[in-house]
Amino acid sequence: MRIAVEAAEGVRGSTSPNPPVGCVVLDAAGAVAGVGATRPPGGPHAEVVALGEAGSRAAGGTAVVTLEPCAHTGRTPPCTDALRAAGIARVRYAVADPGAAAGGGGALLRAAGLDVAGGLLAGEVAAGPLRAWLHRQRTGRPHVTWKYAASLDGRAAAADGSSRWISGPESRAEVHRIRAAADAVIAGTGTVLADDPRLTARGPDGEALPRQPLRVVVGDRPVPAGARVLDDAAPTLLLPGGDPAAVLAALAERDVVDVLLEGGPRLAGAFVAAGCVDRVLAYVAPVLLGAGPAALGPAGVASISGAWRWDVEGITMSGPDVRISAVPGPDDARPAR
């Protein structure tokens, strides 16, 4: 299953609105015969790719899939049909498909005589490659990760407004990899005017990575024609206003599933206040500034009793920085989850 998870992570960002799924086919002796991941929309699903690689070795074997095989005909035929036609004897999947149309594949295969079981590494898969897609299935809107870098005292920039390189090179490289796996990256016009960011995914030498997210600039201030966010390195969408729900609705219409919110503090505060942040990814650098703008702007909190409560799901080192991943706590009563 972890091989399947790795395959799914490798295509994250290229499959929306379909889920990034990984599949491993084992032959009858238990050896890996084929590995596949979902192709872009209109292409084969992970099971079909893995079965194609396995060929005749799939007969009597096992399919290990991150998501329950689909049982419906969409742009492609049902994966349940492909598994049966290949002679697969056993299916193990991590997460049940919550969709009314595509779900039920496990029961169908079981009724056809296959040995089927779900739940294998379900938590790892649900918090990994399928996190954003499952959220979209539950809520109907894109999943939003707010990413920021700050000093130990919570400053996103120095008092003079300079903000480059608060975090270390390891963190910056990781953020570029995260951008490359996202469907869209959002920044406000204030950040664009102040920092002139590219908002592209780049490698260690500054070269553009093969896949680029949609760049989204939110706000009413005009963006200068020469701004780097308007170059031809990646597509850019300008959205006036600043209502988070309207922004996400516009992105949902474009089949966006996974969103990275990058700046600035005012826009991030608006998303938090609206209950539209689903994960916080913080890079805290061992730097003290003493003054300068906070990482988060007004977020609808007037007292400590009204604070947004989050659960920390992971703390790791990223070079000299501390990387914190947090999700809304179970008692979080925000308005629009």
Side-chain angles (χ1 to χ4, degrees):
M1 182 60 82
R2 289 202 168 95
I3 296 173
V5 171
E6 184 178 355
E9 285 286 1
V11 298
R12 197 157 58 86
S14 68
T15 66
S16 295
N18 296 332
V21 177
C23 177
V24 175
V25 172
L26 307 175
D27 64 17
V32 173
V35 179
T38 306
R39 297 288 190 255
H45 290 186
E47 296 94 323
V48 174
V49 176
L51 288 170
E53 186 174 297
S56 61
R57 294 177 63 194
T62 302
V64 182
V65 197
T66 56
L67 182 66
E68 179 184 18
C70 67
H72 81 304
T73 299
R75 294 179 178 177
T76 59
C79 291
T80 51
D81 287 358
L83 292 167
R84 293 170 61 189
I88 288 290
R90 289 165 298 280
V91 174
R92 299 292 182 264
Y93 63 85
V95 177
D97 193 320
L108 188 152
L109 292 171
R110 195 175 293 112
L114 279 71
D115 177 0
V116 181
L120 181 61
L121 295 186
E124 191 170 316
V125 172
L130 289 181
R131 181 199 296 262
W133 183 81
L134 288 171
H135 176 273
R136 173 71 187 271
Q137 294 295 109
R138 288 194 307 268
T139 67
R141 70 162 176 81
H143 178 279
V144 177
T145 295
W146 171 42
K147 185 280 301 178
Y148 72 92
S151 63
L152 282 173
D153 53 337
R155 307 293 178 175
D160 64 356
S162 58
S163 61
R164 290 175 66 83
W165 316 143
I166 284 182
S167 58
E170 295 87 353
S171 297
R172 298 196 297 273
E174 182 173 279
V175 168
H176 281 287
R177 293 192 295 270
I178 293 171
R179 278 184 187 173
D183 293 325
V185 175
I186 300 179
T189 52
T191 295
V192 170
L193 294 174
D195 299 338
D196 193 22
R198 293 187 208 142
L199 297 181
T200 53
R202 302 183 298 280
D205 296 325
E207 76 281 8
L209 296 179
R211 187 191 172 278
Q212 296 293 332
L214 172 68
R215 300 179 292 190
V216 183
V217 180
V218 176
D220 291 322
R221 283 185 281 180
V223 177
R228 293 196 293 182
V229 77
L230 297 180
D231 63 22
D232 59 2
T236 300
L237 176 65
L238 303 179
L239 291 177
D243 175 57
V247 170
L248 295 178
L251 295 181
E253 291 178 356
R254 290 166 172 80
D255 288 336
V256 167
V257 173
D258 197 355
V259 169
L260 188 63
L261 175 63
E262 293 214 33
R266 183 183 300 177
L267 186 63
F271 268 75
V272 170
C276 291
V277 171
D278 309 296
R279 181 190 185 202
V280 174
L281 194 58
Y283 291 87
V284 181
V287 174
L288 292 173
L289 292 174
L296 184 67
V301 177
S303 66
I304 193 66
S305 62
W308 302 107
R309 300 292 177 179
W310 295 73
D311 286 341
V312 174
E313 62 175 4
I315 301 177
T316 56
M317 297 302 296
S318 177
D321 307 325
V322 178
R323 177 184 183 270
I324 303 171
S325 178
V327 294
D331 298 327
D332 186 7
R334 65 186 61 194
R337 299 301 305 162

